[in-house]
């Protein structure tokens, strides 16, 4: 073997052995050993984080969080020789969580778990902190480790101030004095059930306080970095659009800011929303039209328009099915009601995305800012901690940072433009056709609703059973009518204005599709007059129900014919 290769091999073996020894010493409480591991590998993991993001400050955040997690999880690493790959895995998972580009999995050891601590799991971290800080600190412990431990302890102890005296005593007894619920019950002369209730209630308070602290720290970090400011873009022209499909209003506003001024029918068609239909079985609830995966569907639509995007989301599953904003007390939509709702744990990431986008001159699409519809955030004020937002439903104003994600449904979703890329009309139309055809065939996650052509069967069934919720049915009809009217205009615009010879073969089919969707829109218009929003008419009246069934049956047949036309166009463009 070549001497250089042999020496390199021996050096690698020494490094591996050194890591192995350091990990074992660190597990036994040797702070200097952990500090040496950090010093040795910090540059490597920073480079690894930069492979996920080109933004240095974000890569540094990922590394910091990864090192804290590594410190807290070190006891779970069973194969000490695998420290660096294990650390890389933590960095990767942190990057996925921060960037929303992959599965948000928590790191796992290579050889099973004996104990597990997760910074996102308050119970786990409190148990770990209670145990670690009950032990004396070795004077020789590495200063870097001491700093990390002190910062974590200070954060947790400051969080405890959100509890009332009784709650705090019980929490400290459980986590720091290691008393069992039975022992706590005897000490405070209450039942074990009450102990569990107090611990559960306290945990929720602590999670909320943790989020609030993180938001405050985020704003403070902006101040320390000298980027604390107020930025308000021009009020988006999209707020004056007359459309029921508010997500398309928001997309149009974002595109305008990026100097891509397309007509409403063109944005509606290329983003796929001109061809969508989503119905909640049994009652045709108002949530139906917005029961889809916001992130993937909106991102795919934007790709058809030549843009990549980033999003942050936190959804309360099925909450939208239970609530209709038009049928609740108006006070539940106000600021006081928001104050009483839970803070989203992804709020800091959402604010970071908003700041980055607005600083670039692009408004941000957001869900449920005023009511459960889509809006645009087009400015922020760090000093006042206010977001400037509006929509085309008559809402325009400011919303506190910590009210984001605390609307009626308590969902948080924000999406921002990332980068533009070169595309052409042919690729844009192919993407839109593929999206429309996939939706028509029902190839989307259900989320408690029915998508595409299958939705008509559930809609007809609800009319036959006379279980229709009037307001939700009227809203679904208004959305469908608006979408199909724009679908007709979309195909007409392509046939008449896309002059490239590439489209000569499909131009006649485009005109047929325009006529077909125009006829569908006309029949939806009849249904809208029969069941006007918001009152909704009498959809469960036998005579009106029969009229609706006849019209929907006719619409469904026309939709199936329109699908054939789109499949014909897609085949011609991809052959």
């Amino acid at each position: 073997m070549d001497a250089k290769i042999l020496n390199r091999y021996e050096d690698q073996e020494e490094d591996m052995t050194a890591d192995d020894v350091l990990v074992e010493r660190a597990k036994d409480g040797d702070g200097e050993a952990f500090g040496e591991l950090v010093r040795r590998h910090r540059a490597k993991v920073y480079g690894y984080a930069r492979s996920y993001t080109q933004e240095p400050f974000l890569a540094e955040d990922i590394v910091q969080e990864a090192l804290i997690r590594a410190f807290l999880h070190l006891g779970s690493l069973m194969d000490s020789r695998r420290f660096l790959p294990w650390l890389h895995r933590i960095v990767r998972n942190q990057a996925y969580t921060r960037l929303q580009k992959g599965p948000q999995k928590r790191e796992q050891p290579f050889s099973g778990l004996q104990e597990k601590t997760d910074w996102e799991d308050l119970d786990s971290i409190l148990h770990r902190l209670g145990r670690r800080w009950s032990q004396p600190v070795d004077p020789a412990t590495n200063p870097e480790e001491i700093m990390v431990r002190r910062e974590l302890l200070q954060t947790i102890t400051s969080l405890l101030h959100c509890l009332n005296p009784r709650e705090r005593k019980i929490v400290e007894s459980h986590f720091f004095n290691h008393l069992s619920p039975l022992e706590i019950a005897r000490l405070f002369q209450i039942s074990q059930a009450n102990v569990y209730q107090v611990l559960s209630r306290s945990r929720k308070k602590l999670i909320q306080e943790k989020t609030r602290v993180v938001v405050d720290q985020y704003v403070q970090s902006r101040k320390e970095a000298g980027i604390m400011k107020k930025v308000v873009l021009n009020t988006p022209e999209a707020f004056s659009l007359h459309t029921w499909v508010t997500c398309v209003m928001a997309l149009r506003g974002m595109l305008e800011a990026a100097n891509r001024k397309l007509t409403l029918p063109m944005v509606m068609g290329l983003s796929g929303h001109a061809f969508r239909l989503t119905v909640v079985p049994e009652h045709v609830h108002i949530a139906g039209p917005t029961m889809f995966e916001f992130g993937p569907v909106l991102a795919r639509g934007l790709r058809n328009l030549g843009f990549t995007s980033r999003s942050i989301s936190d959804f309360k599953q099925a909450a939208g099915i239970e609530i209709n904003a038009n049928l609740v007390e108006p006070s539940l939509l106000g600021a006081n009601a928001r104050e009483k709702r839970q803070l989203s744990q992804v709020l800091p990431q959402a604010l970071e995305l908003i700041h980055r986008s607005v600083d670039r001159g692009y408004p941000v699409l957001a869900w449920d800012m005023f009511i459960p519809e889509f809006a645009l955030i087009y400015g922020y004020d760090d000093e006042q901690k206010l977001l400037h937002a509006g929509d085309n439903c008559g809402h325009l104003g400011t919303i506190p940072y910590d009210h984001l994600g605390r609307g009626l449904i308590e969902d948080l979703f924000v999406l921002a433009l990332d980068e533009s890329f070169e595309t052409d009309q042919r690729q844009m139309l192919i993407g839109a056709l593929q999206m429309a055809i996939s939706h028509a065939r029902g190839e989307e996650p259900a989320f408690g609703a029915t998508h595409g052509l299958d939705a008509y069967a559930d809609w007809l069934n609800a009319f036959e059973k006379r279980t229709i919720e009037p307001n939700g049915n009227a809203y679904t009809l208004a959305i469908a009518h608006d979408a199909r009217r724009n679908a007709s205009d979309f195909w007409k615009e392509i046939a008449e204005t896309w002059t490239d010879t590439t489209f000569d073969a499909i131009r006649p089919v485009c005109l047929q599709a325009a006529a077909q969707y125009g006829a569908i829109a006309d029949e939806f218009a009849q249904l809208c007059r029969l069941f006007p929003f918001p009152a909704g008419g009498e959809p469960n009246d036998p005579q009106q129900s029969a009229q609706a069934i006849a019209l929907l049956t006719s619409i469904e047949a026309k939709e199936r014919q329109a699908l054939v036309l789109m499949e014909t166009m897609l085949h011609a463009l991809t052959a």
Side-chain angles (χ1 to χ4, degrees), residues 407-472:
L408 183 65
I409 299 177
E410 297 185 65
D411 287 342
L412 186 152
F413 179 81
V414 292
L415 178 142
L417 295 181
D418 190 10
E419 302 292 340
S420 62
F421 60 88
E422 290 295 325
T423 187
D424 56 40
Q425 290 178 329
R426 176 177 171 274
Q427 288 302 320
M428 292 164 71
L429 185 54
I430 287 174
L433 284 167
Q434 290 173 334
M435 195 172 180
I437 291 168
S438 175
H439 174 77
R441 291 173 177 166
E443 298 170 356
E444 287 184 20
F447 285 128
T450 311
H451 300 281
L453 292 174
D454 290 342
Y456 284 104
D458 282 330
W459 208 348
L460 288 165
N461 186 54
F463 269 110
E464 289 168 356
K465 289 184 175 180
R466 296 172 192 165
T467 57
I468 296 284
E469 196 277 291
N471 181 258

Side-chain angles (χ1 to χ4, degrees), residues 10 54 97 131 151 202 209 331 344 399 436 510:
E10 290 174 348
Q54 296 306 307
T97 299
R131 184 174 65 258
E151 287 180 353
S202 299
E209 187 64 17
S331 61
S344 169
I399 291 179
C510 288

